[in-house]
Amino acid sequence: MNNQNKELKKAGLKATLPRIKIMEVLESTAIQEEAHFSAEDIYKELLIKGENIGLASVYRVLTQFESAGMVKKHHFEGSHAVYEVIEENHEHMVDVETGKVLEFQDKELVDRLCEIAEKSGYQLVDHNLVLHVKKID
């Protein structure tokens, strides 16, 4: 059983051809620097690969993947929805001039967010932090 089938089965989803092919595209983009792709980007990649999967199917599968906790959907300022495979916790910075999305990890920052929630009597279960940045000249 290949990796996509295992991931789908673990998420409680049947390993259909569209799901497998879309997961392959998502996983191939996850290793690139730019790992945030829209449904349209995924659809175009499938067309390039000769796959006959419609845009509506791509949206439907991405919604299923999101519900199953396999992908995360982001709405960065000034852009349409983009998706990424959930692998590890990380934060995002968006260059306000170019729209480029940069990822970073900072354990101290996450620890501090947990402390803030705990001081208010809560436990941090998830967070979404996006820094809007401008390149220093």
Side-chain angles (χ1 to χ4, degrees):
M1 186 183 303
N2 67 26
N3 188 41
Q4 289 84 16
N5 288 357
K6 288 178 188 174
E7 289 297 315
L8 290 167
K9 188 173 182 178
K10 190 168 76 173
L13 296 171
K14 242 175 144 177
T16 63
L17 186 64
R19 288 179 183 151
I20 291 168
K21 295 300 181 183
I22 292 168
M23 183 52 72
E24 285 175 358
V25 171
L26 285 167
E27 287 178 346
S28 71
T29 60
I31 60 172
Q32 299 173 14
E33 183 179 322
E34 177 59 60
H36 305 91
F37 287 88
S38 69
E40 292 84 3
D41 294 332
I42 294 166
Y43 173 68
K44 288 176 192 170
E45 187 66 27
L46 290 167
L47 285 178
I48 290 168
K49 293 177 182 235
E51 300 297 338
N52 188 19
I53 299 170
L55 183 57
S57 294
V58 172
Y59 275 106
R60 185 174 50 256
V61 169
L62 287 171
T63 300
Q64 293 165 350
F65 285 176
E66 184 182 12
S67 296
M70 296 171 66
V71 300
K72 188 162 189 173
K73 181 178 178 179
H74 297 283
H75 289 278
F76 296 122
E77 191 172 317
S79 91
H80 44 283
V82 293
Y83 300 83
E84 70 177 334
V85 176
I86 297 175
E87 292 179 344
E88 56 191 29
N89 290 329
H90 59 270
E91 314 310 328
H92 297 96
M93 291 188 291
V94 178
D95 184 319
V96 296
E97 293 177 338
T98 66
K100 182 176 182 180
V101 179
L102 307 156
E103 295 179 352
F104 70 96
Q105 290 180 310
D106 188 323
K107 184 181 176 336
E108 292 175 12
L109 176 62
V110 175
D111 290 346
R112 181 71 181 117
L113 294 173
C114 289
E115 288 173 17
I116 292 168
E118 286 174 13
K119 282 183 181 177
S120 298
Y122 291 90
Q123 177 184 8
L124 183 67
V125 294
D126 191 19
H127 71 279
N128 186 12
L129 177 65
V130 178
L131 305 175
H132 300 273
V133 298
K134 181 178 176 184
K135 194 112 175 153
I136 300 171
D137 295 325

